[in-house]
Amino acid sequence: MDQNIVKKPRFLRILSDFHMHSDHSGDSDTPMEDQIRAALSLGLSSVCFTEHLDMDWPYQNTPDLAPDTFDLDPAAYRQEYLRLRGKYRGRLDIFYGVELGLQPHLGDRLKAFAAAHPEFDFILGSTHVSRQMDPYYSIFFEGRTEEEAYRTYFTDSLLSLRAFHQIDSYGHMDYVVRYGPNQDRFYSYERYQDVIDPILESPWRSTRQDFPKACPSAIPVPGSSAATGRWAAVRSPSALTPTPRPVSPPASIPLPPS
């Protein structure tokens, strides 16, 4: 073989996006139909909208946000969802989901909400708040080393999952790393394995036995335990939602050599 030839890595092609937001979420102004059109243009076969609902958001620590930013109007959301699902039937499978902001003290409220809304096809759990602060804001990192801040966030993520585990997938587990002083410069799975593995091994479970197999909820992490089959939901390139928060684009996931 010619040693000058560099083999290009193969990449996993994402056919479904089960982490999408529209103007029904407080941090997006993209109409639902624009997201659907983007998904079609990218050749996706299915999508699921997961609009934000963050109960007990610490607005006192996020003064730039209106006090209802992360509330959700399920009735208005579902009405538009049903209209668009019918309009695009046969062209794109569109599912109805919600992204619930998890905090350790919200277990009972989240369980009550989920029980009151069995119409959701997909429940995505995420940790946006740790110790009454959103890591997007630098105040979260004040008085802590970067490692202490990351470990605090991961600890609260685990406590939140223990309080409420009726979810179908857990989103952006490394949310805190996006906003750390050095972001991922000194971050690695191995360095935080002792706090990451318990999250991956948390007994979250879906009650939806017939959920479409297209759901991208099993992305393994190199070097971790067998529990990584539960790894967090992956956003595909169709996630065009504008947001005031600078989020790095997701990296493609290399497949192992054939």
Side-chain angles (χ1 to χ4, degrees):
M1 178 182 293
D2 189 338
Q3 298 301 312
N4 295 319
I5 297 178
V6 179
K7 293 184 66 176
K8 293 183 179 180
R10 296 183 305 124
F11 292 97
L12 175 69
R13 181 185 176 194
I14 296 177
L15 299 177
S16 301
D17 185 347
F18 279 69
H19 188 168
M20 290 178 62
H21 298 293
S22 74
D23 52 10
H24 288 282
S25 288
D27 59 355
S28 172
D29 58 10
T30 304
M32 290 182 74
E33 192 158 13
D34 285 2
Q35 292 284 49
I36 291 169
R37 289 170 177 165
L40 286 170
S41 73
L42 290 165
L44 299 189
S45 61
S46 60
V47 298
C48 181
F49 285 93
T50 51
E51 307 296 359
H52 281 295
L53 174 58
D54 277 86
M55 302 176 182
D56 198 22
W57 182 270
Y59 291 106
Q60 71 277 12
N61 293 324
T62 55
D64 57 321
L65 299 179
D68 61 351
T69 298
F70 291 115
D71 290 352
L72 177 65
D73 183 345
Y77 169 29
R78 184 158 180 81
Q79 182 178 18
E80 185 171 18
Y81 159 75
L82 290 172
R83 178 181 69 82
L84 292 171
R85 185 184 69 173
K87 181 177 179 177
Y88 289 91
R89 190 183 305 276
R91 299 177 61 192
L92 183 70
D93 291 330
I94 306 172
F95 297 95
Y96 181 63
V98 63
E99 181 177 4
L100 296 179
L102 308 186
Q103 296 186 58
H105 67 286
L106 291 178
D108 289 342
R109 290 178 62 185
L110 292 170
K111 289 173 186 175
F113 176 84
H117 293 279
E119 68 273 16
F120 282 115
D121 296 312
F122 184 71
I123 295 179
L124 175 65
S126 298
T127 300
H128 302 121
V129 173
S130 175
R131 310 297 162 98
Q132 285 294 293
M133 290 176 282
D134 179 352
Y136 170 74
Y137 297 88
S138 61
I139 187 176
F140 179 75
F141 296 91
E142 293 178 3
R144 300 184 176 102
T145 66
E146 185 173 73
E147 180 167 349
E148 288 171 343
Y150 287 2
R151 288 181 175 276
T152 295
Y153 174 87
F154 289 136
T155 297
D156 284 353
S157 297
L158 177 60
L159 294 174
S160 296
L161 283 166
R162 287 176 175 171
F164 178 73
H165 53 75
Q166 289 80 2
I167 63 175
D168 298 294
S169 194
Y170 184 63
H172 48 62
M173 193 188 77
D174 57 357
Y175 174 79
V176 67
V177 179
R178 300 178 185 176
Y179 308 113
N182 295 288
Q183 297 182 315
D184 63 354
R185 183 179 177 188
F186 305 112
Y187 171 78
S188 67
Y189 164 74
E190 289 76 15
R191 183 170 183 174
Y192 294 90
Q193 181 175 359
D194 59 308
V195 285
I196 289 177
D197 272 359
I199 296 172
L200 297 176
E201 294 163 0
S202 295
W204 75 69
R205 62 179 182 272
S206 169
T207 59
R208 297 160 180 77
Q209 299 301 320
D210 58 347
F211 197 76
K213 293 181 179 180
C215 171
S217 60
I219 304 300
V221 178
S224 66
S225 68
T228 54
R230 303 179 183 276
W231 189 246
V234 174
R235 285 188 80 164
S236 84
S238 74
L240 301 178
T241 310
T243 170
R245 305 176 181 203
V247 177
S248 300
S252 299
I253 303 168
L255 293 176
S258 55

